[in-house]
Amino acid sequence: MKKLVFLFVAAAAMTFAACDGKKTENAAEVAADSAKAAVEAVADSAAAVDSAAAKVAEVADSAAAKVEEAAAKVEEAVKK
């Protein structure tokens, strides 16, 4: 009877040991996948920021040109 109990305990211990190894491997895979997704998200965000910065610079240049044009018109009006 003791041998039978020992056999079940040994089988259960081996089952738990086998499951822990898979969890560790799965955890490493999940961590690697998460890291890869984070890197891709950062790259996408960086591209979006670069695009937004270019648009802001374009709008700022356009606004500066309009301000200079308006200032020139005011100067002409003052000279008259």
Side-chain angles (χ1 to χ4, degrees):
M1 186 73 170
K2 289 182 183 179
K3 290 180 183 179
L4 189 59
V5 170
F6 181 75
L7 177 65
F8 287 122
V9 170
M14 293 178 82
T15 302
F16 288 129
C19 289
D20 284 342
K22 288 181 182 176
K23 287 181 184 177
T24 303
E25 289 174 9
N26 289 341
E29 289 176 15
V30 168
D33 290 343
S34 296
K36 183 179 178 182
V39 168
E40 290 173 358
V42 168
D44 291 344
S45 295
V49 168
D50 289 343
S51 176
K55 287 182 181 182
V56 167
E58 182 181 321
V59 169
D61 289 342
S62 175
K66 288 178 182 179
V67 168
E68 288 176 4
E69 183 181 317
K73 288 180 181 180
V74 168
E75 281 183 24
E76 287 179 24
V78 169
K79 287 182 183 178
K80 290 182 181 179

